[in-house]
């Protein structure tokens, strides 16, 4: 599975509310106040501890607050990550496999909790103002739990909208995700936040009462 758990966590920083730090959190709160839906393109670059590029990817991101999102990789591989607010599905097109999980278990103490916010965000992260530099207003987040895959997350906002996210993992690697072609409050049909599983795709149900199975879920 090419997607790491920090990506799942990252999704949720856009979906609720925040009440700590100073200028950075005020800017993030302004985003929460004005944004109900969002669409954007993204470019993702992963670098090792020496700064060398080890992986690049791109795709699209859709958000419908408070808990729905769709993160779709289009290059160099195809993967679709969807949440309808209750169930999380990860579809690896190349592997012909869909993993299904409860949204709460998937996001607990992880960084797509970031784009949802709310009390859960404050419970899971220490949040501080990251200042202003590179034309962005920054928020710095560190996980309170000790068993996470990452050390910290820096979120940069421009015009009250997330523009750049940097995730620093425990191996010294940094993943940067930049957003472009951002549209605020577009009309997004509910179908964008559901995933129809093809019949020839294996479904691995990771929910409490789930089990591995073939075919559609």
């Amino acid at each position: 599975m090419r997607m790491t758990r920090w990506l799942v966590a990252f999704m949720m920083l856009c979906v609720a509310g925040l009440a700590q730090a100073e200028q950075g959190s005020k800017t993030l709160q302004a985003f929460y106040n004005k944004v109900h839906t969002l669409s954007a393109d993204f470019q993702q670059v992963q670098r090792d501890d020496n700064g060398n590029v080890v992986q690049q990817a791109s795709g699209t991101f859709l958000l419908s607050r408070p808990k729905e999102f769709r993160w779709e990789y289009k290059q160099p591989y195809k993967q679709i990550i969807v949440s309808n607010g209750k169930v999380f599905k990860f579809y690896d097109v190349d592997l012909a496999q869909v993993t299904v999980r409860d949204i709460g278990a998937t996001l607990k103490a992880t960084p797509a909790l970031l784009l949802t916010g709310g009390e859960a965000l404050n419970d899971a992260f220490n949040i501080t103002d990251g200042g202003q530099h590179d034309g962005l207003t920054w928020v710095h987040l560190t996980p309170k739990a000790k068993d996470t895959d990452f050390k910290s997350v820096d979120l940069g906002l421009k015009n009250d909208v997330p523009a750049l996210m940097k995730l620093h993992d425990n191996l010294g690697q940094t993943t940067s995700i930049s957003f472009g072609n951002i549209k605020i409050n577009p009309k997004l049909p509910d179908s964008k936040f559901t995933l129809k599983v093809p019949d020839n795709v294996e479904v691995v149900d990771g929910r409490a009462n789930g089990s591995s199975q073939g075919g559609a879920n």
Side-chain angles (χ1 to χ4, degrees):
M1 183 181 295
R2 299 188 183 97
M3 184 201 69
T4 56
R5 282 186 293 173
W6 61 256
L7 176 59
V8 182
F10 143 70
M11 307 281 186
M12 307 292 299
L13 191 94
C14 287
V15 201
L18 183 65
Q20 295 183 10
E22 296 180 1
Q23 183 59 45
S25 66
K26 290 180 181 178
T27 303
L28 186 57
Q29 188 64 56
F31 166 75
Y32 292 142
N33 289 342
K34 75 178 184 180
V35 172
H36 303 287
T37 62
L38 178 146
S39 67
D41 299 329
F42 71 86
Q43 299 285 333
Q44 179 177 311
V45 179
Q46 184 178 3
R47 298 179 183 274
D48 63 20
D49 55 354
N50 293 316
N52 300 312
V53 175
V54 295
Q55 190 178 70
Q56 298 185 69
S58 62
T60 58
F61 174 52
L62 301 177
L63 172 72
S64 180
R65 296 183 61 216
K67 295 181 180 180
E68 296 177 315
F69 61 79
R70 183 185 185 95
W71 184 273
E72 186 167 352
Y73 285 103
K74 296 186 176 182
Q75 296 291 338
Y77 44 79
K78 293 185 178 181
Q79 295 176 340
I80 302 173
I81 305 159
V82 175
S83 166
N84 64 2
K86 296 180 180 180
V87 176
F88 166 89
K89 294 182 180 181
F90 170 54
Y91 178 21
D92 190 312
V93 177
D94 293 341
L95 293 180
Q97 183 182 84
V98 171
T99 302
V100 183
R101 296 175 183 167
D102 292 319
I103 193 69
T106 301
L107 298 174
K108 184 178 179 180
T110 60
L113 185 62
L114 297 182
L115 293 173
T116 58
E119 293 182 2
L121 181 64
N122 290 309
D123 291 342
F125 293 94
N126 294 307
I127 305 164
T128 58
D129 182 17
Q132 293 183 321
H133 56 88
D134 301 324
L136 303 175
T137 300
W138 292 87
V139 179
H140 182 73
L141 305 101
T142 55
K144 293 180 179 179
K146 296 181 179 180
D147 58 347
T148 61
D149 294 332
F150 61 97
K151 294 193 301 182
S152 64
V153 181
D154 293 299
L155 177 66
L157 300 103
K158 185 174 184 179
N159 298 324
D160 298 339
V161 175
L164 179 63
M165 177 171 281
K166 295 183 179 181
L167 301 109
H168 311 279
D169 69 20
N170 292 319
L171 299 177
Q173 297 183 122
T174 299
T175 299
S176 298
I177 303 173
S178 58
F179 298 96
N181 193 28
I182 297 173
K183 296 179 181 178
I184 303 299
N185 296 328
K187 291 184 178 181
L188 299 176
D190 291 340
S191 60
K192 291 292 186 181
F193 305 103
T194 61
L195 180 65
K196 185 176 181 180
V197 182
D199 290 340
N200 61 342
V201 169
E202 178 188 15
V203 177
V204 179
D205 197 329
R207 291 172 291 183
N209 297 319
S211 60
S212 297
Q213 57 181 303
N217 185 32

